[in-house]
Amino acid sequence: MRVSEGDVDVEAPDPRDGSSEGAGDAVFFNPEMELNRDLTVAVLRAYESRVDGSANVGAESPADRTLSYLDAMTATGVRAARAAEAGYDVTAADVDPEAVELARENLALNDLPGEAVESDANVLMHSERFDVVDLDPFGTPMPFADAAVAGTRKLLCVTATDTAPLCGAHFDSGVRTYDTVPRNTDFHREMGLRVLIGALSRVAARRDVAVEPICSHATRHYARTYLELTHKATAADKALQWLGFVHHCEDCLYREHEFGRIAHPPEDCPNCGSARSSTAGPIWLGPIVDREFVDAVADEVTPNMGEWKRVSRLLDTLAVELDTPTHYDQHRLCKQWGAPANKLETFLDDLRDAGYEASPAHYGGTCFKTDADVSEIREAAEPAAASDRE
Ligand SMILES: [Zn+2]
């Protein structure tokens, strides 16, 4: 079937054709990842300006300034084609020869320059370096993380679709894969994203490389982060200081965090005295975006993108979301209190009127962030029961 995304057309196997036989063999095309790819294009456009405006101004001609981009598991090549359309010098790699052929055809179909190569991603990333590397594997990216750090000069883009291990719902798999203790909390999507960034920061540090997440988001299906790399040991030391632990009460939803590599969990919940407190970590506790960069990305979202409205909404939220390492779900809190949920905007205004910082959070429509703790949130913003209203 022919699929149009952004300014490119690609041939992709129709997922419905694979239902009877060989479904697992067909080159994979996931239409649900269109938002992910739209955002990638906007990030790549904004990143070109970011690099142009800083380190690479010394390049002698515009051609020298073209950044190289590796789509390490390219499948149909749709992401690679869109990166080429955005002006990148593209390599589309896949271990499956059918995928490589399809990616090559799809680049040609759009008259786009670029190379399609048959290679195992790890082999390629250990033998060549690219300015930007994009990892979009089935499930966890961790088996490719070390090679990806080795093969990336500037920007490492990573998708993880194994949300259950990431957020602690599949605990043993999460521990094994991400070398941390993930916990299944009421802020599970954020847990997953911070487990992922934390694990990648540790892998990078082994190679004296620092990561800085300049754009990141998590949805029901996956977590995605764009990490700007600095190849310098002292920078790596500094980046690791963003690692730490979250202590979380399963009864009253109180949580606190601490930086460092040694956890000091409270014996009982400081808020309600419950012994049902759990600790997650080490995870990434630092910022997940660079707000100025997010604004620049938002300027690169164009109406020819199929998901431009959702991408714009996501970026608008990321631009104002507080940096606190956990968020709350307003409906969950109201249910806990036996109070009717009011409009999130009203709820956040009540918190701000009481002197706290408050923002929506992109993890869901009822999610928010604040520097108030659970009892302070209740004091400031618990909606009155209908019978209490005048
Ligand atoms: Zn508690």
Side-chain angles (χ1 to χ4, degrees):
M1 62 176 184
R2 184 67 67 92
V3 183
S4 288
E5 259 193 35
D7 286 330
V8 307
D9 298 318
V10 292
E11 280 297 331
D14 189 333
R16 287 165 300 187
D17 289 349
S19 53
S20 54
E21 53 170 312
D25 295 338
V27 175
F28 190 57
F29 174 76
N30 187 352
E32 287 193 13
M33 283 292 183
E34 186 169 359
L35 180 143
N36 184 332
R37 291 188 289 263
D38 283 350
L39 181 54
T40 301
V41 170
V43 164
L44 290 177
R45 287 175 183 159
Y47 194 71
E48 232 169 0
S49 313
R50 181 180 171 103
V51 171
D52 257 2
S54 60
N56 263 25
V57 281
E60 282 171 17
S61 73
D64 293 340
R65 286 207 298 268
T66 304
L67 297 172
S68 57
Y69 171 89
L70 171 66
D71 186 7
M73 297 95 177
T74 201
T76 60
V78 58
R79 198 186 289 266
R82 297 191 63 187
E85 174 69 31
Y88 280 72
D89 173 17
V90 161
T91 302
D94 206 289
V95 73
D96 171 4
E98 271 181 53
V100 176
E101 194 42 48
L102 188 55
R104 188 172 291 132
E105 283 168 19
N106 280 329
L107 283 166
L109 182 66
N110 294 279
D111 284 325
L112 289 167
E115 205 188 349
V117 296
E118 183 184 334
S119 176
D120 175 90
N122 281 336
V123 172
L124 184 60
M125 294 185 295
H126 274 303
S127 47
E128 268 186 68
R129 266 193 166 185
F130 302 86
D131 295 315
V132 181
V133 167
D134 207 316
L135 285 189
D136 186 26
F138 291 105
T140 178
M142 293 315 286
F144 307 97
D146 180 59
V149 171
T152 305
R153 270 186 217 103
K154 300 173 191 296
L155 185 69
L156 176 55
C157 321
V158 182
T159 303
T161 58
D162 57 330
T163 51
L166 275 172
C167 74
H170 292 171
F171 182 77
D172 291 338
S173 170
V175 170
R176 208 165 57 231
T177 308
Y178 293 99
D179 188 23
T180 189
V181 177
R183 292 288 183 195
N184 195 5
T185 59
D186 61 304
F187 48 96
H188 55 273
R189 282 179 202 153
E190 182 160 22
M191 174 66 67
L193 183 58
R194 290 180 180 283
V195 163
L196 174 67
I197 299 172
L200 292 168
S201 75
R202 292 193 297 277
V203 169
R206 297 202 300 245
R207 290 184 173 272
D208 295 345
V209 175
V211 305
E212 184 195 348
I214 56 173
C215 187
S216 313
H217 62 105
T219 69
R220 200 150 45 89
H221 305 290
Y222 61 91
R224 172 82 165 163
T225 186
Y226 300 85
L227 302 172
E228 188 164 50
L229 305 189
T230 304
H231 293 260
K232 200 174 167 192
T234 49
D237 291 340
K238 228 170 156 184
L240 289 183
Q241 290 174 8
W242 288 112
L243 292 176
F245 299 86
V246 171
H247 312 297
H248 169 260
C249 173
E250 288 168 34
D251 286 324
C252 73
L253 308 183
Y254 175 87
R255 72 284 303 260
E256 59 188 36
H257 64 274
E258 63 171 312
F259 292 95
R261 300 301 282 269
I262 297 169
H264 305 85
E267 268 190 26
D268 298 310
C269 170
N271 185 52
C272 75
S274 162
R276 297 200 329 130
S277 190
S278 68
T279 294
I283 61 173
W284 181 263
L285 299 178
I288 60 160
V289 301
D290 171 336
R291 285 204 184 82
E292 215 174 293
F293 183 67
V294 167
D295 285 338
V297 175
D299 289 341
E300 300 291 352
V301 176
T302 45
N304 65 339
M305 296 175 173
E307 293 284 5
W308 73 274
K309 283 185 185 164
R310 280 172 68 207
V311 174
S312 294
R313 270 204 302 275
L314 170 63
L315 290 166
D316 285 349
T317 307
L318 286 173
V320 298
E321 187 173 299
L322 295 177
D323 288 333
T324 59
T326 68
H327 67 267
Y328 299 88
D329 182 324
Q330 182 216 6
H331 283 195
R332 175 82 193 266
L333 285 177
C334 288
K335 197 174 163 203
Q336 180 118 343
W337 301 331
N342 56 356
K343 273 176 103 172
L344 183 63
E345 211 28 68
T346 311
F347 190 91
L348 296 183
D349 281 341
D350 288 344
L351 278 167
R352 292 184 193 113
D353 289 346
Y356 300 107
E357 285 193 281
S359 79
H362 78 277
Y363 302 95
T366 57
C367 295
F368 69 98
K369 294 203 161 206
T370 180
D371 56 353
D373 71 25
V374 267
S375 57
E376 290 165 340
I377 298 170
R378 184 171 190 174
E379 174 84 33
E382 182 179 0
S387 56
D388 295 343
R389 290 197 192 120
E390 288 166 34

